Amino acid sequence: MDVSLFFAGTAGSVPTARRGLPALLLRAGGHRVLFDCGEGTQQQLLRSVGLPELDAVFVTHFHLDHWLGLLGMVKTFDLRGRERPLSIYGPPGTERLFTGLRPILGRTAYPLELVDLEPHAEIRFGTFLITPFPVKHRVEAYGYAFVEDERPGRFDVDAARTLGVPEGPDWGRLQRGEAVGGVTPEQVMGETRPGRRIVISGDTAPCQAVEVFAHRADVLVHEATFMEEERARARETAHSTAHQAAEIARDAGVGLLALTHLSTRYFPREVRDEARAVFRNTVVPRDFDEIAVPFAERGEPALVKPEREPEPAATP
Ligand SMILES: [Zn+2]
Ligand SMILES: [Zn+2]
């Protein structure tokens, strides 16, 4: 299963010409899950990867910059003739908020499911689940973890041959956990391999729950609204500095830290350098950048820049 994170909006609070409001698209196999949906998200998606038929939207909290784009998007799906249900998950208050907005939204022809999530609920999609955990912000706010199921170990072809199991359907049986002619799966299967793990902090002050959930995660997407010179302001507004986000990444032992929710006050390079002084493996994605998250044995998570239009060839 291919897993990637597409950064549709990386600004915090106010959009800029180059950065849209928070929205992060998780693509995992055939599933499309959006985390937050700031104003303008549908256009950000249309201008880049297209507006996918989302399976679900997870809202981190109800500050306007994180959900206002849902209104237009929900309506667009309706006008496009969507029939599949769409689930919108968020902290307690999600259902009440959208019920209040019904007179503005009108009815949708497709079922719109609004769900107040309890902390640590598990929403399953095929071979992974999404689970919310409370973080520290001025309002009730969640971070989310993508947790992929463990995978069976590798099948040892040589061991199977040595034990006299011929290639064919018997190999499949062993891989599914059945014994074959006195040979047990344990004799030919390697150890189970951990699934991938991605953690999204949402807006938060430095928070132990993020560190716990991000323990050995492949990728941590953490907000970095401020830099150390404004640490006091970060504390007052319940946000994090780049330095603090990097400390969490380091202590959790993650593979890659991606900083987002950037303020217009700083250059992204400064934000990155402040974090890298603490945690080397830090990136600051731009809008429309993507992080591919392969299985551990196939490589490290890596930032992928969008393909730009090729320069027109010079006429001879
Ligand atoms: Zn925000
Ligand atoms: Zn906020």
Side-chain angles (χ1 to χ4, degrees), residues 12-13 22 61 63 65-66 203 239 261:
S13 313
H61 64 298
H63 282 152
D65 54 325
H66 291 259
D203 285 11
H239 283 292
H261 204 266

Side-chain angles (χ1 to χ4, degrees), residues 8 50 129 236 242 263 296:
L129 52 87
E236 278 163 31
S263 156

